[in-house]
Every structure is written in structure tokens, then in C-alpha cells.
Amino acid sequence: QVQLVESGGGLVKSGGTLRLACAASGAVNGDVNMGWYRQPTGKRGELIGEVNRYRTYYPKNTGGHFTVSRDYDQNKLYLQMVDLNVDDTGVYYCCYQRNCGQGTQVTVSS
């Protein structure tokens, strides 16, 4: 089973940036999607973006607000977030197949 540990969350002011990281251990296959999800406070969870060796997929046009990247040698997944706003507050999860980490809290203050 793949273990996932997120890091990099915290408190940031509106307009700021954060880079989240996810370290994966176990039988990780680079051909399989690994992605970032988030659950904004009081809202349903949603996919931000996912990536494998062949493509990076965003369900919505993020306009550069979110960028997902992956280091296949290190088995790490990253989420670069820029121009954050209060609506980005929530718990961010790294997921691989049916496994997700414990999440990392991102709080954006106005």
C-alpha cells in the first residue's frame, strides 16, 4: 500500500503563495495518476489536478493559480499555489489511486 505524507501547509495572507509537497512511499507507478484534492471549509472536496508520465490534468482552468508537478525519481508530488485568496482555505490532500494522506491545512487570511 502506498503511504502519502503532505507538508507545506500553513497560514498565509491573501495574495501570497504556498508550495505543498507530498512524499509517497511504497509501490508507486509513474504511469498512474497522483493528484491533489482539497476540501474547502464547509464545502465538498474537489480535485485540483492530477499528473502521470503522460499528462497533467486540471478539471478547471486554474489560470496559473494552481500548478501540479511530480518528481518521479523522488516519488514526490507538488502543488504550487499563487495569488491565494480566502476561498482557498481548506485541507489539501495528496492521493494515489484510493489512498490519500492525512492532509495539510491551508489557511488564507484577508
Side-chain angles (χ1 to χ4, degrees):
Q1 185 172 350
V2 173
Q3 303 293 324
L4 302 160
V5 179
E6 302 94 340
S7 62
L11 176 64
V12 63
K13 290 185 178 180
S14 182
T17 64
L18 273 178
R19 188 185 192 217
L20 306 183
C22 172
S25 60
V28 178
N29 184 339
D31 294 348
V32 176
N33 283 330
M34 185 178 290
W36 286 101
Y37 292 74
R38 71 173 178 177
Q39 184 159 19
T41 304
K43 298 181 180 179
R44 298 180 66 177
E46 58 182 355
L47 172 66
I48 298 171
E50 57 186 10
V51 57
N52 61 40
R53 291 188 193 277
Y54 308 107
R55 69 160 192 171
T56 302
Y57 169 71
Y58 301 95
K60 299 178 183 178
N61 182 1
T62 72
H65 186 52
F66 294 123
T67 303
V68 177
S69 61
R70 186 170 173 180
D71 184 329
Y72 296 93
D73 293 331
Q74 299 291 325
N75 279 337
K76 290 187 176 179
L77 185 72
Y78 299 99
L79 178 64
Q80 180 72 36
M81 304 187 288
V82 301
D83 193 22
L84 286 160
N85 60 71
V86 294
D87 291 335
D88 293 317
T89 294
V91 182
Y92 286 69
Y93 299 91
C94 167
C95 297
Y96 177 85
Q97 294 185 315
R98 295 185 178 183
N99 298 317
C100 294
Q102 293 297 308
T104 186
Q105 175 71 43
V106 171
T107 302
V108 184
S109 63
S110 59

